[in-house]
C-alpha cells in the first residue's frame, strides 16, 4: 500500500516543478523527455534500455533546444518585417 500512495505523490511533485518554465526550457524538456522515451524503447530492443534512454534524452534535449532557436529566429524575422512594413506606411 505504501508504494501505491508514494508513486503518484512523487510523480505529481515532479510535474509541479515544470509549471514555471519559459518556452526555451519547455521545448528542451519536451525534446529530452520524448528522446528518453524513444531511446529507452530502442535500447530495450537492443538490450540496454538505460543507455538508450540516456543517449535519447541527450539527443532529444539538443533537438528541442535547436527547434526553439529556430522558432525564435522565425519570430524575430516576422516581427522585423512587421515593424518595417508598419513604418513604411507613415
Amino acid at each position: 500500500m505504501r508504494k501505491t500512495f508514494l508513486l503518484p505523490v512523487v510523480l505529481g511533485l515532479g510535474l509541479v516543478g515544470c509549471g514555471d518554465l519559459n518556452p526555451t526550457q519547455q521545448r528542451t524538456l519536451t525534446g529530452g523527455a520524448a528522446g528518453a522515451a524513444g531511446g529507452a524503447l530502442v535500447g530495450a530492443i537492443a538490450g540496454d534500455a538505460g543507455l538508450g534512454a540516456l543517449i535519447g534524452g541527450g539527443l532529444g534535449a539538443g533537438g528541442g533546444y535547436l527547434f526553439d532557436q529556430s522558432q525564435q529566429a522565425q519570430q524575430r524575422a516576422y516581427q522585423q518585417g512587421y515593424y518595417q512594413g508598419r513604418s513604411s506606411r507613415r
Side-chain angles (χ1 to χ4, degrees), residues 1 3-4 12-13 15-16 22 29-31 41-42 45 52 55 58 62 67-68 70 73 75-76 78 81-82 86 88:
M1 177 155 161
K3 289 182 183 179
T4 59
L13 288 175
L15 291 175
V16 169
N22 64 38
L29 182 65
T30 301
L41 182 65
V42 171
I45 294 170
I55 293 169
F67 175 73
D68 177 68
S70 171
Q75 183 65 25
R76 283 190 300 269
Y78 173 80
Y82 175 79
R86 188 171 180 182
S88 68

Side-chain angles (χ1 to χ4, degrees), residues 72-86:
Q72 287 183 9
Q74 185 178 7
Q75 183 65 25
R76 283 190 300 269
Y78 173 80
Q79 291 294 332
Q80 183 181 7
Y82 175 79
Y83 289 123
Q84 285 178 353
R86 188 171 180 182

Side-chain angles (χ1 to χ4, degrees), residues 3-18:
K3 289 182 183 179
T4 59
F5 174 73
L6 189 59
L7 184 62
V9 170
V10 169
L11 291 175
L13 288 175
L15 291 175
V16 169
C18 300

